[in-house]
Amino acid sequence: MNALVLPGVYAPQDDTALLAEVIAEEPYEPGAEVLDVGTGSGTLALTAARRGARVTAVDVSRRAVWTARLNAWLSRLPVRAHRGNLFSPVRGRSFDIIVANPPYVPAPEARGVPRGRSRAWDAGDDGRLVLDRICRDAPALLRPGGVLLIVHSALSDPDRTLELLRAAGLKAAVVRRRWISFGPVLRARQGWLRERGLLGGTEEREELVVVRAERTL
């Protein structure tokens, strides 16, 4: 995961590493069509491409798209990176695998609409500003037998993720969990998170989860 990261682009962290592990273990054939939505540095896209997948990467950040393209070029891997909001650049297409490490950190409403670097982590009052959109729109882009892999914090209600994906007809479950120490953003917000009841009184770690959802028909 030694990706080059341009200023202002989300650098690969524990959540990226956790999802990369699951992608590396997911059974799919060389030539499978993979979509990495919210690609950031392109690390997850490159993980899939190394296994022979044909990868499309999307990010709303222009710098992230440049970064993903540069890392693909440096790695000599065929990743096509496009700028756009979630699934808008790939309308009309379908995929065998969709992977997502979206913004998922709960943010006080006073912070307003995420801008700049904070777009990579701020996700509204409940942390689900982007997660709910992915759960709503991704199932229609999966081919029969296709799989959606999402990583996010347990602070952002994994049960809601499972509920939405199952309601869309997917077979969904949490397949990986990992506890990590707070990063700078959560350390700065822990007082607010405790007031919201999202953190215990002495908790100084967060749990990451990976949800796997499969289209069986």
Side-chain angles (χ1 to χ4, degrees):
M1 295 212 325
N2 297 319
L4 182 150
V5 183
L6 295 180
V9 177
Y10 183 78
Q13 298 182 44
D14 293 285
D15 48 4
T16 308
L18 185 62
L19 185 50
E21 290 175 11
V22 176
I23 293 169
E25 296 170 3
E26 180 66 31
Y28 57 84
E29 298 295 327
E33 291 280 356
V34 174
L35 172 65
D36 178 14
V37 59
T39 191
S41 66
T43 297
L44 298 175
L46 297 178
T47 299
R50 288 189 182 96
R51 293 186 52 199
R54 293 183 293 181
V55 184
T56 300
V58 172
D59 204 290
V60 73
S61 162
R62 184 176 282 107
R63 289 188 181 189
V65 172
W66 291 341
T67 301
R69 288 173 178 169
L70 181 56
N71 281 319
W73 180 77
L74 291 171
S75 302
R76 298 184 180 180
L77 291 169
V79 173
R80 296 160 291 177
H82 305 281
R83 182 171 181 253
N85 194 339
L86 293 181
F87 304 108
S88 58
V90 294
R91 284 199 180 108
R93 295 181 58 187
S94 61
F95 299 90
D96 300 295
I97 309 284
I98 298 174
V99 302
N101 179 8
Y104 55 72
V105 178
E109 291 181 0
R111 291 184 63 85
V113 177
R115 298 184 183 280
R117 294 182 67 239
S118 68
R119 289 185 302 182
W121 54 80
D122 279 356
D125 189 59
D126 60 0
R128 299 201 57 88
L129 184 67
V130 180
L131 277 166
D132 283 345
R133 293 175 59 195
I134 292 174
C135 292
R136 180 191 68 207
D137 296 340
L141 277 69
L142 288 174
R143 296 171 178 172
V147 170
L148 170 65
L149 298 170
I150 309 174
V151 63
H152 67 83
S153 172
L155 298 174
S156 307
D157 197 355
D159 288 341
R160 176 66 175 163
T161 300
L162 297 174
E163 176 187 349
L164 291 172
L165 294 173
R166 289 167 181 167
L170 305 186
K171 180 181 178 183
V174 174
V175 295
R176 194 69 56 92
R177 298 177 182 269
R178 181 166 299 162
W179 286 92
I180 64 168
S181 299
F182 285 166
V185 176
L186 282 186
R187 279 199 300 270
R189 292 184 190 166
Q190 58 183 311
W192 176 77
L193 290 167
R194 294 186 207 285
E195 290 175 5
R196 291 275 321 277
L198 294 174
L199 282 178
T202 60
E203 187 60 72
E204 295 185 355
R205 298 185 304 161
E206 69 169 322
E207 185 182 26
L208 300 176
V209 301
V210 175
V211 172
R212 181 185 188 274
E214 182 176 355
R215 181 180 173 187
T216 57
L217 297 177

